């Protein structure tokens, strides 16, 4: 599941349970407050990436941390590779300059500079100048690629994408 959410100041999602799901939150603007049943209370800001491995079960809430401005964020749910693990949480801040005309890995099962995911899944962020060209290297044979455009336009796998038509799936390796 991919949610592209906007939450008004002071509002959000009250405490609710999850299990056996990898939940990735990526704020695009504003601040998101995360509280969960492990006692964690954290603010997730623009350029942060947070993952919550719900594992054997966790309850959490996500609220706009500000009363006077919106928070915009992406949230992606991924089925885990291993079920009923101990719930865990990780959050890192990523330098946006690192993704200028480059693909920056922010979620990965095998990269200590990214947040760890309990699945063979890699999430990347990029910001490309007009007419910039690059290629993406698949991380695993048989894998697929999902591209989601936040601003501007891009061509991926021969398909034109834009904010109005933001995704393409599947492109697969052989």
């Amino acid at each position: 599941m991919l949610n592209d959410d906007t939450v008004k100041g002071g509002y959000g999602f009250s405490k609710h349970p999850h299990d056996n799901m990898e939940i990735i939150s990526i704020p695009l603007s504003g601040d998101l407050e995360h509280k969960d049943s492990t006692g964690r209370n954290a603010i997730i800001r623009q350029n942060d990436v947070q993952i919550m491995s719900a594992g054997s079960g966790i309850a959490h809430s996500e609220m706009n941390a500000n009363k006077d401005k919106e928070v915009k964020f992406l949230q992606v749910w991924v089925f885990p590779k291993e079920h009923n693990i101990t719930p865990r949480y990780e959050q890192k801040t990523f330098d946006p300059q690192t993704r200028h005309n480059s693909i920056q890995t922010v979620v990965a099962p095998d990269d200590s500079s990214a947040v760890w995911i309990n699945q063979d899944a890699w999430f990347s962020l990029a910001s490309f100048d007009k007419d910039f060209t690059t290629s993406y290297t698949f991380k695993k044979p048989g894998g697929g690629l999902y591209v989601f455009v936040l601003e501007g336009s891009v061509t991926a796998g021969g398909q034109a994408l834009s904010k109005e038509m933001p995704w393409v799936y599947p492109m697969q390796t052989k």
Side-chain angles (χ1 to χ4, degrees):
M1 179 178 78
L2 184 134
N3 283 337
D4 183 0
D5 287 323
T6 300
V7 179
K8 290 182 180 182
Y11 288 86
F13 305 97
S14 59
K15 194 173 186 179
H16 57 281
H18 292 282
D19 63 33
N20 292 309
M21 191 63 63
E22 301 292 295
I23 302 171
I24 300 94
S25 297
I26 305 172
L28 303 174
S29 65
D31 304 315
L32 188 63
E33 182 177 20
H34 168 95
K35 292 181 183 178
D36 66 42
S37 55
T38 69
R40 177 165 304 275
N41 184 356
I43 303 293
I44 314 161
R45 297 176 176 13
Q46 184 177 0
N47 299 316
D48 290 347
V49 175
Q50 177 233 39
I51 191 164
M52 183 180 70
S53 293
S56 59
I58 194 168
H60 77 124
S61 64
E62 295 158 319
M63 304 297 288
N64 185 333
N66 301 294
K67 302 270 186 237
D68 61 340
K69 64 181 179 179
E70 294 179 333
V71 61
K72 295 178 184 243
F73 68 102
L74 300 177
Q75 189 170 82
V76 183
W77 297 12
V78 177
F79 290 114
K81 182 166 43 176
E82 184 180 343
H83 288 250
N84 296 316
I85 65 171
T86 300
R88 62 177 290 282
Y89 175 99
E90 186 178 2
Q91 179 176 328
K92 288 186 179 180
T93 303
F94 294 89
D95 181 357
Q97 292 302 314
T98 305
R99 60 180 160 261
H100 179 249
N101 289 333
S102 183
I103 299 171
Q104 179 186 48
T105 301
V106 296
V107 175
D110 60 356
D111 182 343
S112 63
S113 66
V115 294
W116 181 80
I117 187 169
N118 174 25
Q119 186 51 272
D120 292 333
W122 292 261
F123 290 42
S124 302
L125 298 172
S127 177
F128 300 131
D129 290 336
K130 184 177 179 171
D131 299 325
F132 180 80
T133 301
T134 191
S135 61
Y136 179 82
T137 302
F138 285 89
K139 309 297 185 199
K140 187 175 178 184
L145 180 66
Y146 183 97
V147 177
F148 189 83
V149 179
L150 298 172
E151 293 292 331
S153 60
V154 66
T155 300
Q159 193 166 0
L161 305 172
S162 66
K163 189 174 182 177
E164 291 74 33
M165 177 58 178
W167 57 270
V168 60
Y169 177 84
M171 286 185 270
Q172 292 188 315
T173 62
K174 297 189 188 262

